[in-house]
Amino acid sequence: MIPVLNKIDLSNANPEKVIGQLESLFEIPPESVLKISAKVGLGIHEVLKAIIKRIPPPSGSRELAPRALLFDSWYDRYKGVALLVALKDGCLSVGDNISLVHTEKSYEVKEIGILNPFPTPMNSIYAGQAGYIFCNMRGMKEAHTGDTVYSTNHKVEPLPGFEECKPMVFAGVYPVVQSEHSQLRSALDKLLLNDPSIHCVKESSPALGNGWRLGFLGVLHMDVFNQRLEQEYGAQVVLTSPSVPVKGIYNG
């Protein structure tokens, strides 16, 4: 991480005070903070030099079998799921067959490219580059952040550090009126396309009717999801009190 303090050209700027706050809150050494003004171009060259000096170059070999880290994804309504990958070894090209270690599913690369900053199609990407892949993947549930992408014909050692997202907070979601059940189901399906970390199962309540039990990463995650339901789809829902499952072990 390179700490950069911008807008030091403003008349009310107090960079020394802010640098002190960075040190007390995040234990960032004051000498490592770069003071710049993007508006007037002050200190920009120092940022570029720091990137070259402080950030190590990517490691890996283009001669090895393809192996890439899946670090993000998004959903395109026309092309399906876009995989954002950092290629550690080898080369990936249009037409290659790829697989994911965790899901053990295989796909054919339909489009590959880099973000420059917008998606720019290319014929291939190589070790050390980060790019995107479209491969007719239809569901975000198949794209697990931290998974390893590899060539189907060349089995590789998975990259370390992968852990599947585990929901920590659960809550029931029900339509205010049961006649709006299908509209709420459609809104949930669309939101779940872009958030694979949410666990969703159908649920029925004698008092509230048919609904769903959703698992979230935390209370904030649940609140944001509920706000998106209301703001983007106009869905009015009954959200039950969040609960956290606890497993107890009794030693008698």
Side-chain angles (χ1 to χ4, degrees):
M1 183 177 67
I2 301 176
V4 178
L5 183 60
N6 192 19
K7 301 183 183 297
I8 63 171
D9 60 302
L10 297 179
S11 57
N12 59 345
N14 191 347
E16 300 306 325
K17 178 181 178 180
V18 176
I19 290 175
Q21 292 174 344
L22 290 174
E23 183 182 16
S24 61
L25 293 175
F26 305 109
E27 298 182 355
I28 296 177
E31 61 274 10
S32 68
V33 180
L34 301 178
K35 293 179 285 186
I36 72 166
S37 171
K39 180 179 180 180
V40 301
L42 181 64
I44 301 301
H45 292 291
E46 284 68 22
V47 175
L48 298 177
K49 292 177 182 178
I51 292 174
I52 297 173
K53 183 178 180 181
R54 302 186 194 180
I55 300 178
S59 60
S61 172
R62 296 185 179 183
E63 307 302 324
L64 299 176
R67 186 173 64 156
L69 173 67
L70 172 59
F71 63 87
D72 201 358
S73 59
W74 79 81
Y75 185 80
D76 185 282
R77 61 184 300 184
Y78 301 108
K79 300 179 182 180
V81 178
L83 307 178
L84 290 181
V85 300
L87 197 57
K88 301 297 183 180
D89 297 307
C91 167
L92 287 175
S93 305
V94 174
D96 288 352
N97 291 318
I98 60 173
S99 300
L100 278 74
V101 170
H102 180 71
T103 61
E104 299 182 347
K105 293 186 177 182
S106 299
Y107 312 87
E108 181 182 352
V109 177
K110 297 298 184 180
E111 181 182 328
I112 197 168
I114 60 174
L115 300 178
N116 195 26
F118 301 105
T120 305
M122 303 181 70
N123 292 326
S124 305
I125 59 174
Y126 300 89
Q129 289 184 306
Y132 70 91
I133 298 173
F134 283 107
C135 55
N136 282 344
M137 184 182 290
R138 293 305 175 190
M140 292 285 288
K141 292 290 186 182
E142 303 173 35
H144 296 267
T145 301
D147 205 351
T148 301
V149 181
Y150 66 96
S151 175
T152 304
N153 299 325
H154 300 87
K155 196 76 174 179
V156 296
E157 185 71 21
L159 294 167
F162 172 75
E163 290 186 10
E164 189 174 359
C165 291
K166 296 181 180 180
M168 303 298 294
V169 175
F170 292 84
V173 175
Y174 301 86
V176 175
V177 182
Q178 279 297 311
S179 60
E180 299 177 353
H181 184 273
S182 59
Q183 293 92 325
L184 179 57
R185 180 180 60 190
S186 177
L188 284 174
D189 289 341
K190 293 176 182 178
L191 280 180
L192 292 174
L193 282 175
N194 293 292
D195 196 343
S197 63
I198 296 177
H199 178 74
C200 179
V201 294
K202 291 183 179 180
E203 188 177 59
S204 179
S205 167
L208 300 175
N210 294 322
W212 297 265
R213 185 165 181 79
L214 303 182
F216 302 93
L217 300 180
V219 177
L220 178 61
H221 187 201
M222 181 187 69
D223 290 339
V224 171
F225 187 85
N226 188 33
Q227 290 178 8
R228 291 189 63 189
L229 274 178
E230 295 179 0
Q231 296 173 3
E232 297 180 22
Y233 300 97
Q236 299 296 321
V237 301
V238 176
L239 190 67
T240 63
S241 299
S243 61
V244 179
V246 178
K247 181 184 291 186
I249 300 177
Y250 177 72
N251 294 323

